[in-house]
Amino acid sequence: MLEAKDPVVLDDAGRYDRDIVHLARVAMAGRSQDVQTLLQRMARRYQATNSSLAESLRELLRSAPSLDAPMRSHGNALPLPLDGDTRLPLIRADQLGPAQSPVLVDPVRGQLDQLREEHLNRERLARSGLMPSRSALFVGPPGVGKTLAARWIAAELRRPLLVLDLSSVMSSYLGRTGSNIRKVLDYAKSSPSVLLLDELDTVAKRRDDSAEVGELKRLVTVLLQEIDDWPASSLLLAATNHAELLDPAVWRRFDQVVDFPLPGPVQLREALIQYCGVDGSREVIDFLVKTLQGASFADAERLVLGARRRAALKDEKLFDVLLDLGRQRLREMEAPRRIQIALDLIEECSISQRRASEITGVSRDTIRRRLER
């Protein structure tokens, strides 16, 4: 117990007493992550008035044994939370392991690197009175890498990735949906983890939508409160394909908003090379990039996986199959677009007129006339 001469007691007794009561309350409730968060705040708060106490608290946090992941395979593992109606697990727990670095545009890559660095350098932030970002919202169309990015961050932080598909927790009894969400969030808070709330728009819809019933509107309020109370020891991620459906208050609750656009030619080329996994024809890759313009990473991966299966079954060369599939996509396009792709291969990719004609099926006479204009 601190003696009366302690400067914290003398200068700020009321605040110190409140902190002790608050610390005792969360400790008795078994909320270990909240205990750590409170100790971090106390260390920052008392730095100016009692630096030795602040440093002792920081040393305690540094030396404390780290908590195992929620789905740890040894010791007293906690069971996954279950839906009260179906008794099925409410979340999917991805085992910790290496994850391939996602192909991303530079602004998105910069934001994800920032998230990673903040959580890997918590002590450096603490010395400046700061905490890492607690939450981030991933926005973008399907297939642009939102889930893959969450998996990569979890692997980089060496934490489990807990995935909650919000559409799956919608109970037939609406009153239980809020209970389901609380179960998952409490479980994720129990030890350091990365929680991904997928399809956030399923629950966090605009509260001024007259088509939504009152219970769903109350769910939005529950979710906002949980995001506000999220501990900095874990990372809360949310993903949506329909940003326009989100309640305006949701945007303000997240520390970061990461906008995932459809990939451009540079990202598509990098992704195709990654998906193919072998050295191959550069001109085929260039051709596929042109035919996949406006497609997502998922579309490109689906094309390559289909080609690999066909090549294995028919004993064909992968890039011959990819070339054939690219031609099939090209035949579905209007003539002006097909001609433009042939011209782009010549002008941007240094492919000869003859080879461009062979790849695209556009006649050499047509290509020559367009080039002479």
Side-chain angles (χ1 to χ4, degrees), residues 309-365:
R309 294 188 185 103
R310 175 175 146 184
L313 290 172
K314 298 188 176 182
D315 197 23
E316 297 178 311
K317 294 181 178 179
L318 174 60
F319 281 88
D320 289 343
V321 177
L322 287 170
L323 182 58
D324 183 57
L325 293 177
R327 286 168 174 161
Q328 291 180 27
R329 293 181 63 89
L330 194 69
R331 285 194 291 269
E332 297 173 358
M333 300 178 185
E334 299 291 335
R337 178 61 186 150
R338 295 199 302 270
I339 295 172
Q340 187 59 52
I341 287 178
L343 298 178
D344 289 343
L345 290 174
I346 296 169
E347 297 173 347
E348 300 176 10
C349 306
S350 303
I351 293 177
S352 68
Q353 294 183 26
R354 179 185 62 80
R355 185 56 178 159
S357 176
E358 291 175 354
I359 292 176
T360 63
V362 178
S363 71
R364 294 184 65 182
D365 288 340

Side-chain angles (χ1 to χ4, degrees), residues 87-124:
R87 307 305 298 169
L88 295 175
L90 292 169
I91 56 174
R92 183 178 75 252
D94 285 4
Q95 294 294 332
L96 184 66
Q100 192 171 46
S101 179
V103 179
L104 302 166
V105 297
D106 288 342
V108 175
R109 167 65 67 185
Q111 287 181 276
L112 296 185
D113 285 345
Q114 170 86 12
L115 274 175
R116 178 191 62 185
E117 292 304 310
E118 287 180 11
H119 281 264
L120 289 177
N121 296 279
R122 299 169 57 88
E123 291 184 10
R124 181 179 299 179

Side-chain angles (χ1 to χ4, degrees), residues 47-116:
Q47 180 62 46
T49 55
N50 192 336
S51 59
S52 61
L53 172 61
E55 182 56 34
S56 296
L57 292 176
R58 292 194 185 96
E59 180 59 31
L60 178 63
L61 289 167
R62 285 193 293 266
S63 61
S66 60
L67 295 175
D68 289 332
M71 74 284 193
R72 56 191 180 273
S73 58
H74 62 279
N76 54 338
L78 295 175
L80 293 175
L82 304 177
D83 179 78
D85 299 330
T86 66
R87 307 305 298 169
L88 295 175
L90 292 169
I91 56 174
R92 183 178 75 252
D94 285 4
Q95 294 294 332
L96 184 66
Q100 192 171 46
S101 179
V103 179
L104 302 166
V105 297
D106 288 342
V108 175
R109 167 65 67 185
Q111 287 181 276
L112 296 185
D113 285 345
Q114 170 86 12
L115 274 175
R116 178 191 62 185

Side-chain angles (χ1 to χ4, degrees), residues 121-168:
N121 296 279
R122 299 169 57 88
E123 291 184 10
R124 181 179 299 179
L125 291 177
R127 288 195 294 270
S128 299
L130 300 170
M131 292 189 297
S133 298
R134 299 174 304 155
S135 59
L137 174 61
F138 292 173
V139 178
V144 292
K146 299 188 294 294
T147 302
L148 182 60
R151 187 175 294 118
W152 175 78
I153 289 178
E156 289 291 298
L157 299 181
R158 299 192 60 78
R159 295 180 184 178
L161 175 65
L162 309 176
V163 182
L164 169 63
D165 184 344
L166 285 166
S167 63
S168 70

Side-chain angles (χ1 to χ4, degrees), residues 150-319:
R151 187 175 294 118
W152 175 78
I153 289 178
E156 289 291 298
L157 299 181
R158 299 192 60 78
R159 295 180 184 178
L161 175 65
L162 309 176
V163 182
L164 169 63
D165 184 344
L166 285 166
S167 63
S168 70
V169 302
M170 300 295 289
S171 171
S172 56
Y173 301 96
L174 284 178
R176 293 185 182 175
T177 301
S179 175
N180 283 343
I181 291 175
R182 284 194 179 93
K183 284 181 185 178
V184 171
L185 296 177
D186 288 344
Y187 179 83
K189 289 179 182 179
S190 66
S191 60
S193 62
V194 177
L195 174 63
L196 174 62
L197 304 180
D198 203 9
E199 297 191 36
L200 180 65
D201 50 273
T202 303
V203 172
K205 293 183 178 179
R206 299 177 62 94
R207 283 174 287 185
D208 58 3
D209 185 351
S210 60
E212 296 299 339
V213 298
E215 180 61 32
L216 288 179
K217 295 178 181 179
R218 285 191 288 273
L219 281 177
V220 178
T221 302
V222 169
L223 191 58
L224 295 181
Q225 292 171 345
E226 292 288 350
I227 296 173
D228 284 341
D229 294 337
W230 193 257
S233 53
S234 292
L235 179 59
L236 174 65
L237 305 176
T240 179
N241 302 330
H242 303 286
E244 71 282 358
L245 297 180
L246 294 180
D247 189 278
V250 171
W251 298 87
R252 299 192 298 271
R253 289 325 203 275
F254 287 93
D255 295 333
Q256 290 195 39
V257 175
V258 185
D259 190 0
F260 287 72
L262 285 169
V266 173
Q267 291 76 39
L268 277 175
R269 179 177 289 102
E270 185 178 348
L272 285 168
I273 293 172
Q274 190 179 94
Y275 300 151
C276 290
V278 294
D279 294 332
S281 171
R282 182 182 64 84
E283 64 182 20
V284 174
I285 294 293
D286 290 338
F287 174 54
L288 290 176
V289 168
K290 298 297 181 183
T291 61
L292 286 167
Q293 182 177 347
S296 67
F297 289 122
D299 295 328
E301 185 175 24
R302 192 178 303 114
L303 178 75
V304 174
L305 285 176
R308 292 172 70 89
R309 294 188 185 103
R310 175 175 146 184
L313 290 172
K314 298 188 176 182
D315 197 23
E316 297 178 311
K317 294 181 178 179
L318 174 60
F319 281 88

